[in-house]
Amino acid sequence: MAKVKQVGLLAAGCQPWNKDVCAASGDRFAYCATLAIYVYQLDQQYNEFKLRSIMSEHKKTITAISWCPDNPDLFASASADNLLIVWNVAEKKAAARLDNTKGVPVSVSWCWNSADGVAFVSQRGPLYIWDYRGSDPGVTVHKEAHSFLSDICLFRWHPAKKGKLVFGHTDGSLSVFQPGSKSQKHVLRPESLEGTDEEDPVSALEWDPLSADYLLVSNLHNGVRLVDSEGLACITSFCFPSAAASVQCLAWVPSAPGMFITGDSQVGVLRVWNVSRSTPLDSFKLKKTGFHALHVLSSPLAKKAQSSCSPSNRQHTSSTSEAVPPPTLSQNRAFSLPPGHAVCCFMDGGVGLYDMGAKKWDFLRDLGHVETIFDCKFKPDDPNLLATASFDGTIKIWDTNTLTAVYTSPGNEGVVYSLSWAPGDLNCIAGATSRNGAFIWDVRKGKIITRFNEHGKNGIFCISWSHKDSKRIATCSGDGFCIIRTIDGKILHKYKHPAAVFGCDWSQNNKDMIATGCEDKNVRVYYLATSSDQPLKVFTGHLAKVFHVRWSPLREGILCSGSDDGTVRIWDYTQDACINVLSGHTAPVRGLMWNTEVPYLLISGSWDYTIRVWDTRDGTCLDTVYDHGADVYGLTCHQSRPFTMASCSRDSTVRLWSLTPLISPLVLNVLTEQPWEKIIGNTDTAMVPGSPPLLCGKVSRDIKQELDKLSGDGGSKKLRWFSECFSSEAQELTIVKMSKFGGGIGAPSKEERLKEAAEIHLRLGQIQRYCELMVELGQWEKALSVAPGVSMKYWKKLMQRRADQLMAEDNDDAIPYCIATGDIKKLVTFFTSRGQLLEALLIVQGACEGNIRSPQSSSINHTTNDVDNRQQYQSLLHNVCKELAEWYFQDGCSVLAACCHLAVDNIQLAMAALIRGNELELAACAGLVLGEAANQSTAYCLELLARKYMSAPTWELSADLLQMIPDNHVLLAKLCAFYPGSVAEINQLHHRCGLPSLEECKTLGEEAASDGDLFSAVKFHLLSSEPEDALRVGIDFVKEQLAASDWTVDSVHPILDLMTYIRTDRLVLTKLTQARSELLILCGYIGGLLAIRRSYCSIVPALYEFTSQLLKRREVSVPLKIEQLSVELEAWRACTQHSSSPPSESQRDEFSCLERRIQPTEPAALVLSGADYVTGSNLPSHSDLHLSCFTGHRIQGPMFLLEDNQSAISLNDALMWAKVNPFSPLGTGLRINPF
């Protein structure tokens, strides 16, 4: 079971160096960071783009991508290591690879004349065509496109004219080729360049989709032209408003003939043009930084359908009939912007999807690193702020709750290798660069306030601000010096090393001690309180250069070092010795991090793309994490959240991890109210090899001190504070429980609308006619301003018509109209249909608090009306919270989903969200704090946790958990039945759980059988020394039930479930082969029915298949037929899965019979229906691709490895499977434990 779980991901930004780095097709778009391609897809249900996958096979800079015009699942990408890959996006894997492209491809494009050909070209040609799917996949050379006189920037095939193609060159010229015509090389240079040697590279090229010969071309300095490739003439030169405007990218708008857009490379201005005019029609400033790439989605995105009923055109118009209004025009009345979405990539790495029709961002990632991230650190006084340092020359600060960048440093520093926050709340960061020395950046002021240049032009690899003495900063550099200076630049020490120094770290216990890692393979320790520049200690042992060093925060005198020899060594300063060597990485080690609470936990990151978690007591590797797609450089966690870790990598992402599973027994010791010594200890006790984890750090000590001060019962506080220490998400639960949702909205006044009515002295009937005429002219404001003269009712109706029209056009201007008329429901529907659930929530909240009221049309008593409205709003609030919770849940944030339910006091759904997200420890803590309302869910949760710990050495913990459940007799019997100890140990556990001894159980079993109490008979036989008797009795009973016609799942499941707890060593005996096969078959079948009851749709087919396979292969006599199973499965599919053909009559009957069987006797059982979805399920992993043995598809999110260590299923499927059938899908008779 993976111990470390991924809980967050900060995607990289788009690289600014190559041309074709964004592409789109259908409802997907992709962009390239330097080493990875990010693919986003529209989530139809919530109308938002979500990161679906990260492709990271390229090991060097990606130079171009191109989406296949005929197959939306394929795109091609090329990189600087002469590699070309065709990707299958749906299957998330490479469909074909070409390893040697004979030069770096600068541009790639699918051939329009053959779907299976990908063309690519490097600097001066020739153009190669790779037929990757043919009978003999090979590379051919284009007959004419070679021997160019100037390098190629990019090329484009003509979308309609077969085989026609154009190249753009760095000297500003074009080359045009088409079959059957003379090829034209190096033509159509901008006029101002003719006869000169000046270069003005072609920055963009696009064929006119409506013409065989016209194309748009832009040169970096000479602007945009429409040229005729046949007549070799320039048709139009487009004029820019200022000489400073320069264009990097342009795109045709497919939905509007003759229209195109350009992106300014200096400032983020998007200009809209038509080929008939030489000046822009309109321009929008979208961002401060310049554009880098543009791509318009060819098909308009299908939004959620808005139901709008337009009145049919009536022949007769009376003075009171409704007019049909024209559509609303945009601000620039000359034209209405075409509907279309532009993928925009900016020079600062920002990426967005801009809706041109609605003039708003559908999606925007404002900033992102576009290159390797070398270092990451949390702000000392704020665990929500994380700073990252990158190869791209910037330091960025991220809010880890929203995963967005909140600050970025001025930039242009070359490479930033390392960063260090100033201690406390000083709000400054020290950075170390490759060529510009070191600097201090004042985050609030947004500027560099100090520079240190003592290392000259040598690269500084590490910078460390002392947290014990805030005036001292250490740097180490390629010049062999480690320099200690004060923040105002006064040098205190210069420690000379025989070679480059890569890492340094201040001791956590002694402010005058610092350790360094050097290229000469040694670790040195210096003592600043002496004037000597010689090290106190030199540790030798590594076989290659030493990079980072880290002092242990909890064990005095212990430090670790990571080296290019692939090992991590632990040194004891007091013994002058290496006390452990941690081997396992297969490449140089970079990231290093000690845990600040558990003294033996050490985490390392390496160039082998993995993160490893070590138990330094005996050197075992507890877990290996494969999710990064490239070298792992930085690892960090915040002292107040010791089990939330951030990592950064050459794949340009930052990932957030929860380390809580590594210490899960600890969480439960808090839960089961164990004595303090099982939770908090000293380092010596915790360091005993093999002993369970203990907390030894500052956070846990502080919590204990606070609890000791409390008089009376601090149980719920203890649970809450420890949950927060273990999981950053628990804080969100607490905050919601304490504050609920805030925020309201002020209603606009209606007096303004009445002023003009007084000025109009027309008869009432004519006012209404006047209003309708104005509506017909599209002059809504004039109509609305006099409508109250007819009546308030008419005004309100007109306002609602206007709102309806704006909503049908998906226009935000509808919002004030709805608020003015108090039409909360319509506004909430508008927001939810657009996926804007947070906005919907604010509106309903405002209404519930009485901040939005509808205008009164008469003066009757309104209090009763208000009460009705308030109740209506309350139920609306519940619905919106439910929708928002589901959105969070589907986004892999089960804890936030629970927060939404708790905010409206829906405790059962909150608990269900936590359990379905497998946040069991947190759910148990929350359940105990919430008390009676959560009792049932808490009991189920404790039962699952007890199952999780039913193995050595945590049996007792399992018993403690079960003893917290009120009605626990049967549960304790299951635990004891499954326990595999010696006779004496088993009897001891029986005694502890209040059960009779083995011998007594045998007698009790026989007595119960003769009394006809089958359940007790099975129970006591299981608890006896001959548990196989239980199978005989139990299986016969279940078979008898199934042979009758009126059985239900609830009549057989309790006994079946009890039998599954037979000890594994007995179940796998040869003499039990038939009983075992029958038990597995019955569990598979009843499990399938339970899965249907709980809506575990993804595993229903697998459970039915499992049962059928066992029936085929094993000698058994059970009243089940393979044919009947497939009939049931097909009926379930036809009646529940949306298919094109409706279910047949017989399928309907079959399914209603199934529904009768699975109807639960207790309604509460349905609270837990709905698929499991653990945190991180939606995060794309780079890890070894495992295909699910249920579906054959690649597993997204965490996976679960079965007992043969080869077959894998997704963790979500494993959890659901274990909840309805505890036996492994491989049919071995072993139980699975994915919890």
Side-chain angles (χ1 to χ4, degrees), residues 296-353:
V296 177
L297 285 168
S298 48
S299 54
L301 288 173
K303 294 284 185 171
K304 265 197 174 176
Q306 304 260 332
S307 55
S308 59
C309 327
S310 56
S312 54
N313 258 339
R314 299 193 206 99
Q315 295 305 306
H316 169 74
T317 311
S318 76
S319 64
T320 55
S321 47
E322 292 189 1
V324 180
T328 321
L329 286 174
S330 74
Q331 268 40 75
N332 185 338
R333 289 298 161 95
F335 78 105
S336 187
L337 246 187
H341 287 75
V343 182
C344 308
C345 300
F346 296 93
M347 298 302 250
D348 65 357
V351 180
L353 190 73

Side-chain angles (χ1 to χ4, degrees), residues 597 670 674-682 694-712 714-715 717-723 725-726:
E597 281 289 335
V670 175
Q674 301 287 340
W676 277 118
E677 51 270 20
K678 285 199 174 180
I679 300 166
I680 289 180
N682 60 24
L694 287 174
L695 302 177
C696 308
K698 183 176 181 314
V699 181
S700 52
R701 277 202 311 276
D702 290 352
I703 294 178
K704 183 174 185 306
Q705 273 178 344
E706 287 302 310
L707 286 170
D708 290 345
K709 286 181 202 164
L710 293 176
S711 52
K717 273 209 168 64
K718 179 175 174 182
L719 280 178
R720 201 180 90 202
W721 288 339
F722 273 113
S723 299
C725 158
F726 293 135

Side-chain angles (χ1 to χ4, degrees), residues 781-834:
E781 275 65 24
K782 286 187 180 171
L784 286 167
S785 61
V786 301
V790 183
S791 68
M792 279 301 280
K793 200 170 171 187
Y794 175 69
W795 170 80
K796 193 169 171 182
K797 195 173 170 197
L798 203 58
M799 288 284 276
Q800 283 166 342
R801 278 167 57 198
R802 175 64 172 146
D804 285 346
Q805 186 204 1
L806 289 165
M807 284 180 175
E809 293 171 11
D810 200 23
N811 189 328
D812 286 350
D813 295 346
I815 298 163
Y817 290 94
C818 290
I819 291 179
T821 55
D823 199 338
I824 304 303
K825 225 170 183 165
K826 185 178 288 175
L827 196 48
V828 168
T829 313
F830 176 57
F831 278 133
T832 45
S833 73
R834 294 167 55 167

Side-chain angles (χ1 to χ4, degrees), residues 328-649:
T328 321
L329 286 174
S330 74
Q331 268 40 75
N332 185 338
R333 289 298 161 95
F335 78 105
S336 187
L337 246 187
H341 287 75
V343 182
C344 308
C345 300
F346 296 93
M347 298 302 250
D348 65 357
V351 180
L353 190 73
Y354 189 70
D355 181 338
M356 297 188 292
K359 298 190 183 170
K360 64 181 188 357
W361 289 108
D362 267 0
F363 165 87
L364 178 64
R365 277 207 69 247
D366 217 3
L367 294 164
H369 283 300
V370 296
E371 259 287 9
T372 302
I373 304 172
F374 285 117
D375 200 4
C376 56
K377 297 273 183 346
F378 282 103
K379 189 170 192 300
D381 64 332
D382 186 348
N384 297 316
L385 290 182
L386 177 74
T388 52
S390 166
F391 190 97
D392 61 19
T394 62
I395 292 177
K396 290 183 175 23
I397 299 176
W398 306 83
D399 178 333
T400 55
N401 286 331
T402 57
L403 299 182
T404 50
V406 282
Y407 300 104
T408 181
S409 67
N412 277 348
E413 295 290 346
V415 176
V416 186
Y417 282 128
S418 171
L419 68 89
S420 185
W421 282 93
D425 57 358
L426 291 175
N427 269 319
C428 289
I429 292 180
T433 73
S434 58
R435 57 164 192 264
N436 285 358
F439 61 84
I440 296 179
W441 168 39
D442 184 318
V443 179
R444 286 281 150 77
K445 292 182 182 159
K447 61 181 190 204
I448 307 293
I449 51 173
T450 313
R451 284 195 181 274
F452 304 121
N453 296 312
E454 308 91 342
H455 296 285
K457 286 284 172 204
N458 293 293
I460 300 177
F461 298 110
C462 182
I463 189 160
S464 183
W465 202 316
S466 167
H467 280 223
K468 294 254 180 223
D469 178 350
S470 59
K471 292 193 172 51
R472 300 196 291 202
I473 294 180
T475 51
C476 45
S477 156
D479 61 8
F481 281 101
C482 170
I483 295 180
I484 321 279
R485 76 206 29 86
T486 61
I487 43 177
D488 46 19
K490 180 184 164 212
I491 292 185
L492 302 173
H493 295 275
K494 274 183 93 162
Y495 294 126
K496 175 93 178 90
H497 293 61
V501 195
F502 295 110
C504 62
D505 191 43
W506 293 95
S507 162
Q508 312 244 6
N509 298 305
N510 184 332
K511 72 176 174 56
D512 290 324
M513 211 172 262
I514 193 166
T516 62
C518 175
E519 193 169 11
D520 72 350
K521 312 176 193 171
N522 294 337
V523 175
R524 291 172 174 76
V525 176
Y526 292 91
Y527 189 52
L528 277 70
T530 64
S531 55
S532 161
D533 59 1
Q534 290 307 303
L536 266 184
K537 295 276 162 75
V538 180
F539 293 117
T540 59
H542 277 299
L543 306 175
K545 76 177 183 216
V546 178
F547 217 88
H548 285 304
V549 283
R550 290 281 181 272
W551 290 93
S552 162
L554 298 171
R555 299 162 61 207
E556 197 158 342
I558 301 291
L559 73 157
C560 67
S561 56
S563 158
D564 281 17
D565 63 14
T567 66
V568 177
R569 284 178 175 255
I570 316 287
W571 312 91
D572 185 339
Y573 170 82
T574 56
Q575 296 178 25
D576 284 4
C578 172
I579 53 174
N580 218 328
V581 181
L582 310 176
S583 317
H585 284 299
T586 55
V589 177
R590 286 298 175 262
L592 285 174
M593 182 190 95
W594 289 99
N595 186 272
T596 55
E597 281 289 335
V598 180
Y600 60 77
L601 274 188
L602 175 68
I603 299 170
S604 60
S606 159
W607 281 9
D608 63 10
Y609 305 5
T610 68
I611 295 171
R612 284 179 176 260
V613 182
W614 306 93
D615 178 337
T616 57
R617 298 175 298 190
D618 54 8
T620 48
C621 177
L622 299 175
D623 193 19
T624 307
V625 182
Y626 297 94
D627 290 282
H628 273 297
D631 317 342
V632 180
Y633 279 102
L635 300 170
T636 184
C637 76
H638 193 278
Q639 191 172 359
S640 70
R641 285 193 198 150
F643 301 104
T644 301
M645 172 176 82
S647 64
C648 61
S649 156

Side-chain angles (χ1 to χ4, degrees), residues 241-256:
S242 77
S246 70
V247 173
Q248 272 276 21
C249 47
L250 54 83
W252 291 97
V253 180
S255 56

Side-chain angles (χ1 to χ4, degrees), residues 696-1016:
C696 308
K698 183 176 181 314
V699 181
S700 52
R701 277 202 311 276
D702 290 352
I703 294 178
K704 183 174 185 306
Q705 273 178 344
E706 287 302 310
L707 286 170
D708 290 345
K709 286 181 202 164
L710 293 176
S711 52
D713 177 32
S716 64
K717 273 209 168 64
K718 179 175 174 182
L719 280 178
R720 201 180 90 202
W721 288 339
F722 273 113
S723 299
E724 288 175 15
C725 158
F726 293 135
S727 133
S728 58
E729 298 162 325
Q731 301 198 326
E732 289 149 1
L733 273 175
T734 308
I735 293 162
V736 169
K737 204 55 209 147
M738 283 160 57
S739 65
K740 301 283 180 92
F741 290 121
I745 296 165
S749 74
K750 290 141 213 115
E751 285 72 22
E752 293 94 336
R753 309 187 189 285
L754 294 167
K755 281 182 187 153
E756 288 186 37
E759 296 167 15
I760 296 179
H761 304 290
L762 295 167
R763 288 200 326 282
L764 292 187
Q766 284 183 341
I767 295 183
Q768 192 166 347
R769 183 76 202 109
Y770 165 79
C771 291
E772 291 300 333
L773 283 168
M774 286 292 145
V775 167
E776 212 158 313
L777 292 167
Q779 299 197 351
W780 282 95
E781 275 65 24
K782 286 187 180 171
L784 286 167
S785 61
V786 301
V790 183
S791 68
M792 279 301 280
K793 200 170 171 187
Y794 175 69
W795 170 80
K796 193 169 171 182
K797 195 173 170 197
L798 203 58
M799 288 284 276
Q800 283 166 342
R801 278 167 57 198
R802 175 64 172 146
D804 285 346
Q805 186 204 1
L806 289 165
M807 284 180 175
E809 293 171 11
D810 200 23
N811 189 328
D812 286 350
D813 295 346
I815 298 163
Y817 290 94
C818 290
I819 291 179
T821 55
D823 199 338
I824 304 303
K825 225 170 183 165
K826 185 178 288 175
L827 196 48
V828 168
T829 313
F830 176 57
F831 278 133
T832 45
S833 73
R834 294 167 55 167
Q836 293 175 287
L837 297 173
L838 288 165
E839 286 84 345
L841 186 65
L842 274 177
I843 295 288
V844 190
Q845 186 69 21
C848 287
E849 290 167 5
N851 294 336
I852 305 179
R853 292 227 169 100
S854 51
Q856 308 305 345
S857 40
S858 59
S859 53
I860 324 160
N861 180 343
H862 289 294
T863 48
T864 52
N865 204 359
D866 272 2
V867 173
D868 286 352
N869 275 350
R870 202 59 68 82
Q871 282 170 341
Q872 193 186 352
Y873 295 155
Q874 281 297 339
S875 76
L876 204 54
L877 181 63
H878 275 257
N879 291 343
V880 173
C881 281
K882 216 169 177 172
E883 267 206 55
L884 187 61
E886 189 53 27
W887 175 75
Y888 277 128
F889 190 77
Q890 296 301 336
D891 207 27
C893 308
S894 53
V895 178
L896 290 176
C899 292
C900 296
H901 291 309
L902 276 183
V904 288
D905 285 329
N906 197 331
I907 288 173
Q908 267 169 330
L909 284 178
M911 291 294 288
L914 290 172
I915 292 171
R916 287 172 57 205
N918 205 37
E919 298 285 347
L920 299 177
E921 286 85 356
L922 193 53
C925 294
L928 291 171
V929 172
L930 292 167
E932 202 172 320
N935 277 355
Q936 200 173 5
S937 312
T938 311
Y940 181 59
C941 185
L942 290 167
E943 185 187 334
L944 293 176
L945 279 171
R947 273 179 70 177
K948 174 175 177 175
Y949 292 105
M950 279 187 192
S951 62
T954 48
W955 287 100
E956 293 203 343
L957 181 54
S958 225
D960 288 338
L961 288 162
L962 293 175
Q963 276 162 340
M964 295 170 72
I965 300 174
D967 191 8
N968 59 10
H969 178 73
V970 175
L971 295 170
L972 288 168
K974 290 175 180 173
L975 169 75
C976 292
F978 190 57
Y979 180 62
S982 66
V983 173
E985 288 169 332
I986 291 176
N987 279 331
Q988 197 181 347
L989 185 66
H990 279 220
H991 179 67
R992 186 181 167 171
C993 296
L995 292 165
S997 69
L998 284 170
E999 280 310 304
E1000 292 164 33
C1001 286
K1002 190 168 168 50
T1003 324
L1004 287 165
E1006 284 157 4
E1007 283 170 13
S1010 58
D1011 292 348
D1013 179 355
L1014 267 172
F1015 188 81
S1016 299

Side-chain angles (χ1 to χ4, degrees), residues 1167-1196:
V1167 174
L1168 288 164
S1169 75
D1172 285 3
Y1173 202 67
V1174 300
T1175 308
S1177 297
N1178 60 328
L1179 296 176
S1181 144
H1182 284 282
S1183 54
D1184 301 351
L1185 308 184
H1186 286 280
L1187 299 180
S1188 164
C1189 59
F1190 286 175
T1191 59
H1193 297 313
R1194 182 177 156 182
I1195 295 169
Q1196 173 105 350

